[in-house]
């Protein structure tokens, strides 16, 4: 079930016409945390209507889904990577310290941007401490988007959480 107050706060940094995440349900099973989400893009924020979900919008939707999943994980104490975080830590780190280090998406069939779903999960979260550098969290994620008309896209992203508490 979507935590409406948390969702509103997670989406606060986005321009009003770029808030695509409508709802999210977070689960934790066997040490993995995942989100199932609903999205709608009434109008693209940067280009004339293409009629399908494109890579820029996939990235924006991924960000919103990921931010919510991390915030909910912190709030509920899910997963091991964020166990020492508070929500205040998350709000402080949301924009400057959560980086997409690698992002790859594979489009199988066009996805209708007006109404579609998305899923993502953290496949691993590890703490790294490079020689002479500050510790950070490295997170591997998998995601997919689909619509009711067999449109689909999937991918993987690697995140770096810098300046971790």
């Amino acid at each position: 079930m979507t935590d409406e107050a948390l969702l509103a706060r997670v989406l606060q940094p986005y321009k009003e016409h770029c808030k695509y995440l409508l709802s999210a349900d977070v689960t934790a099973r066997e040490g993995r945390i995942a989100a199932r989400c609903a999205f709608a893009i009434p109008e693209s924020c940067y280009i004339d209507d293409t009629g399908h979900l494109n890579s820029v919008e996939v990235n924006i939707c991924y960000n919103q889904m990921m931010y919510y999943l991390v915030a909910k994980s912190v709030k509920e104490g899910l997963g091991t990577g964020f166990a020492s975080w508070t929500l205040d830590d998350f709000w402080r780190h949301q924009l400057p310290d959560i980086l997409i280090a690698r992002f790859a998406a594979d489009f199988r069939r066009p996805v209708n941007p007006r109404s579609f779903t998305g899923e993502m999960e953290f496949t691993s979260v590890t703490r790294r401490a490079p020689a002479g550098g500050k510790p950070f969290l490295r997170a591997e994620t998998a995601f997919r988007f689909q619509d009711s008309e067999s449109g689909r896209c999937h991918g993987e992203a690697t995140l770096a959480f810098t300046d971790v508490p």
Side-chain angles (χ1 to χ4, degrees):
M1 174 181 271
T2 304
D3 180 330
E4 297 293 339
L6 186 67
L7 178 60
R9 179 79 191 270
V10 164
L11 296 179
Q12 191 172 15
Y14 289 87
K15 306 280 188 209
E16 201 56 44
H17 65 283
C18 297
K19 295 180 181 182
Y20 302 148
L21 178 59
L22 304 176
S23 66
D25 184 31
V26 173
T27 58
R29 275 187 234 118
E30 301 171 11
R32 287 193 171 175
I33 52 175
R36 298 184 77 133
C37 303
F39 294 89
I41 302 175
E43 179 180 20
S44 178
C45 67
Y46 77 101
I47 195 170
D48 286 340
D49 188 15
T50 61
H52 59 80
L53 188 66
N54 62 52
S55 62
V56 171
E57 292 158 342
V58 163
N59 197 304
I60 293 169
C61 291
Y62 172 85
N63 275 346
Q64 293 177 8
M65 184 165 51
M66 178 270 296
Y67 286 147
Y68 183 85
L69 181 55
V70 174
K72 185 71 168 172
S73 298
V74 168
K75 183 177 180 180
E76 302 295 330
L78 306 174
T80 58
F82 312 107
S84 66
W85 285 37
T86 66
L87 272 177
D88 284 339
D89 291 327
F90 174 76
W91 304 131
R92 189 171 46 257
H93 295 289
Q94 180 181 5
L95 295 182
D97 300 318
I98 302 176
L99 313 172
I100 295 177
R102 186 182 64 78
F103 190 86
D106 187 12
F107 292 82
R108 296 299 185 171
R109 294 187 187 172
V111 176
N112 178 351
R114 304 300 176 255
S115 177
F116 62 100
T117 60
E119 298 174 26
M120 82 166 282
E121 74 171 325
F122 284 97
T123 56
S124 72
V125 179
T126 55
R127 187 174 180 89
R128 302 265 175 107
K134 291 184 175 185
F136 69 97
L137 293 178
R138 177 186 169 107
E140 299 293 335
T141 69
F143 66 89
R144 71 174 161 242
F145 296 104
Q146 57 202 15
D147 64 23
S148 63
E149 300 156 16
S150 75
R152 62 181 198 230
C153 163
H154 69 271
E156 297 176 341
T158 302
L159 304 171
F161 295 77
T162 62
D163 197 24
V164 295

